[in-house]
Each structure stands twice: as C-alpha cells, then as structure tokens.
Amino acid sequence: MDTAVLDLIRRSRRVLAICHVSPDGDAIGSLLGLGWALKAMDKEVTLACADPVPVFYRYLPGQGEIVRRPEGMFDLVISLDCSDKERLGDAYREEYHALPLLNIDHHVTNQYFGTANLVDPEAASTAEIVFLLLDELGLPIDPPMAQCLLTGIVTDTRGFRTVSSTPRVLAIANRLMAAGASLPEIVGRTLDRRPLAMIRLWGQALPGAQLRGKILWAEITEAMRAEAGLTTVDDGGLVNFLLTAEEAEVAVVFSEKNGGQEVEVSFRARPGWDVAQVALSLGGGGHMLASGATVRGKLAEVREGVLALLEESLAAQERARRER
Ligand code: AMP
Ligand code: MN
Ligand code: MN
C-alpha cells in the first residue's frame, strides 16, 4: 500500500472524514468503520455527511455522531466512497482546500482528486479498502468496526451477488464476522427491509415500466412519491428489481426531484455491458454494472435524452464486441 497514504494517517491528529451525499450502506459503513478505527488510534475524529443517515442504517454504532456541517479545525480530510469532489456536497467547506485530502474509493470513474488516492476499482466496496488499510496499519478489528465495514460490503454487493464478490471479498467478510459482525442482522436491517410506502411506490411505478430494445426503464414522479407518503428520493432498489426481468440487459430508473427541475438517474446492467461511461458523460459516475447521475431538466426530456445516449452507447459496445 502507498506509504504516502499510511504517513498521512499516522501523522494526523484531527481528522475529518466525509462520505457522499444521499449516502448508501457503503458510504455510512466505511465512514463509521474508519471513524471507530481512527478513535482507536487516539485521534480526534469528526464524521460528516451532507445528507441525513437513512433510517435503515441507524442500527450502526456511532451513527448518531455523524454531522451534516462539520465545525472546527482539522489537519486531514478523508473522502469515502466518492468518485469526485462534488459528491462530498457542502460537508466539504471552502476552508478545507488547503488541507491534505485522502481519497478512499472504488469507483471506476474516480477522478483522483485527492492529495493521496487510495482507489481500487476492483474492490467491491470502499469498506473493503478501509479494512485492508486498517490491516496495513496493524490495527485490531473490534465488533463496532466489523459491523460497520461488513454493512458496506453486504450492501454494495447486495448480499454477495455482484460480479465484484471475489474470494477476497468473502475472505474479508469472514474475518469481519469472526471479529463480531452479524451477517443476518445486516441483511435483515438493509437488504430485506423497506417501508410499506416504498412497496406501494413500486406498485405505482411498475405498470409504467417499458421495454425499449434491451433497456427496461421506469420512472418515479414527485406526485407518486407524495401519494405513497415518501420524502426521500431513493428508489428502494427498484432498479435492481427491474433488471431481474428476463428480457432486460439494462435497467434504468428516472426519479423526478427538486420540484421537477432535476432527475436522479440510476443505471444497472447485466455482466458484459458498461453503464459507467454513460453516467460519467452525464456528470455522474459509478461502476460498469451500476451507476448513476443527477441531470437537470424536466422528467420526459431527460428520459428521452438519456435513453437515446444509452441506446447509442449499447450499440457501440455491441459493435466493438463483434469486431473483437
Ligand atoms: P444508485 O443507482 O444510486 O444505487 O448508484 C449506483 C452507483 O452509481 C453508486 O456506486 C453511486 O456511487 C453511483 N452514483 C449514483 N448517482 C451518482 C451521481 N449523481 N454522481 C456520481 N455517482 C453516482
Ligand atoms: Mn456509495
Ligand atoms: Mn461503494
């Protein structure tokens, strides 16, 4: 592992760690796992996320300490699970620009924006990279760290179902369970749990799902969300569910937000395709098989524009495959 990374951590006293806006299980899990570890190293630690911790991650030890807007002085900022600096949102303030920034991430679209970058696109989750970092620092893993880090791994692999679920991932999960993490608790709290309102929202969105070639897409309007009684923009895993359709190679969910001025776009693909590049070209990012972007514009306009881009990209990928 890069000694510059280890030195940055060893030399720091007051650390600010930040995960991405609209946090998922890997964002919160890697943030808290690292937070517990830094405390065990006797550092002063502030943990931040620009958006609130979703209710279903509130079982994680230490989550109550995560702040929206950090205050105070720091000598190191650590970014977790962010492919670019904008993903830190306004938890990353103007005055931090002079501070060293350690970028820990696993997105293939990572922009290497840190002073030091611990980026591994082969890793299934940022939590896994944090685990390897703690191993390298020789820090023993205690039960709170283990529970947080395993949450990041389990949520980003959807319970070890993704192609990123390598033997290394399972070996790390094994060590985290041996250190005190509970796999059934994590699965029960995250993957196997959603509000009834979310199920009703799916009920509204699913009849409108349409197949366009190999792309199955659906949309969630603000009116649907209001009707279901939901306030958060996430789709509760609808895009993953759509990709279980036999006819689909790619699934997309368009979620209207910000009073109809913006659309959150979520892409999923079966192995063999790449949806990271389309997301990147829209100003977002992600992985080959799971990516996303926030696009300005009205729902119908954005949908038609994005579907056209996506069709073009898939056709180009197919041509490239034939020529190989
Ligand atoms: P989601 O569809 O929200 O579960 O996101 C799938 C993947 O795409 C995750 O790895 C996210 O980090 C990434 N992603 C989603 N939305 C964005 C965005 N607006 N900008 C950059 N990356 C994103
Ligand atoms: Mn994430
Ligand atoms: Mn992640």
Side-chain angles (χ1 to χ4, degrees):
M1 195 170 280
D2 192 349
T3 52
V5 170
L6 301 172
D7 286 347
L8 266 184
I9 293 186
R10 287 197 185 108
R11 279 202 298 262
S12 65
R13 292 283 335 131
R14 288 162 302 180
V15 184
L16 168 63
I18 311 175
C19 70
H20 64 75
V21 295
S22 308
D24 52 24
D26 190 29
I28 299 294
S30 58
L31 179 69
L32 289 171
L34 179 67
W36 283 106
L38 293 171
K39 281 186 195 166
M41 295 169 79
D42 285 326
K43 299 188 189 294
E44 261 177 54
V45 187
T46 299
L47 304 178
C49 180
D51 290 316
V53 177
V55 279
F56 34 89
Y57 301 125
R58 297 203 185 146
Y59 68 98
L60 286 173
Q63 62 82 22
E65 287 181 35
I66 300 175
V67 299
R68 306 272 293 270
R69 289 279 281 171
E71 271 163 30
M73 297 284 291
F74 309 99
D75 51 29
L76 173 64
V77 181
I78 303 180
S79 150
L80 292 153
D81 206 36
C82 296
S83 50
D84 58 61
K85 228 167 168 174
E86 285 65 51
R87 295 280 285 164
L88 293 165
D90 52 18
Y92 187 81
R93 300 159 75 131
E94 225 16 74
E95 58 256 46
Y96 304 151
H97 285 255
L99 299 175
L101 175 62
L102 171 58
N103 161 23
I104 307 182
D105 185 44
H106 69 125
H107 292 94
V108 69
T109 53
N110 191 283
Q111 303 294 307
Y112 291 80
F113 55 87
T115 326
N117 301 285
L118 183 55
V119 176
D120 178 7
E122 311 258 285
S125 63
T126 297
E128 180 186 336
I129 303 175
V130 169
F131 174 88
L132 295 170
L133 172 65
L134 302 187
D135 227 22
E136 194 79 17
L137 289 165
L139 201 79
I141 306 286
D142 66 15
M145 289 177 211
Q147 187 76 342
C148 297
L149 295 178
L150 189 59
T151 292
I153 293 175
V154 167
T155 53
D156 262 21
T157 62
R158 288 186 296 111
F160 308 106
R161 290 150 77 177
T162 56
V163 290
S164 57
S165 305
T166 57
R168 180 177 89 172
V169 173
L170 286 150
I172 293 173
N174 186 339
R175 287 192 48 198
L176 292 171
M177 286 181 78
S182 165
L183 180 59
E185 187 188 14
I186 292 169
V187 171
R189 295 277 197 169
T190 60
L191 306 176
D192 284 351
R193 179 179 296 235
R194 51 178 64 82
L196 174 57
M198 182 61 79
I199 294 173
R200 295 207 200 281
L201 180 67
W202 287 22
Q204 292 188 74
L206 283 171
Q210 291 187 38
L211 195 63
R212 191 182 293 195
K214 354 173 185 332
I215 306 167
L216 181 61
W217 64 267
E219 55 191 19
I220 297 173
T221 62
E222 289 192 321
M224 288 179 193
R225 227 178 284 126
E227 166 93 28
L230 284 170
T231 49
T232 55
V233 178
D234 86 295
D235 71 2
L238 176 62
V239 69
N240 295 315
F241 179 62
L242 289 179
L243 194 61
T244 63
E246 204 137 38
E247 293 80 357
E249 289 289 316
V250 173
V252 192
V253 168
F254 300 94
S255 301
E256 190 181 29
K257 65 179 204 180
N258 278 346
Q261 294 179 69
E262 279 184 331
V263 182
E264 194 65 48
V265 190
S266 276
F267 300 97
R268 294 292 184 277
R270 290 191 188 274
W273 301 100
D274 177 1
V275 288
Q277 296 316 314
V278 173
L280 187 64
S281 74
L282 293 165
H287 314 282
M288 297 245 281
L289 305 183
S291 65
T294 309
V295 183
R296 280 200 73 79
K298 296 268 174 240
L299 184 59
E301 262 166 50
V302 170
R303 184 228 304 148
E304 289 312 307
V306 169
L307 287 175
L309 265 182
L310 183 58
E311 280 181 309
E312 204 176 293
S313 165
L314 297 180
Q317 290 176 42
E318 217 159 28
R319 275 197 304 277
R321 199 161 14 210
R322 266 201 310 270
E323 279 158 21
R324 234 181 276 136

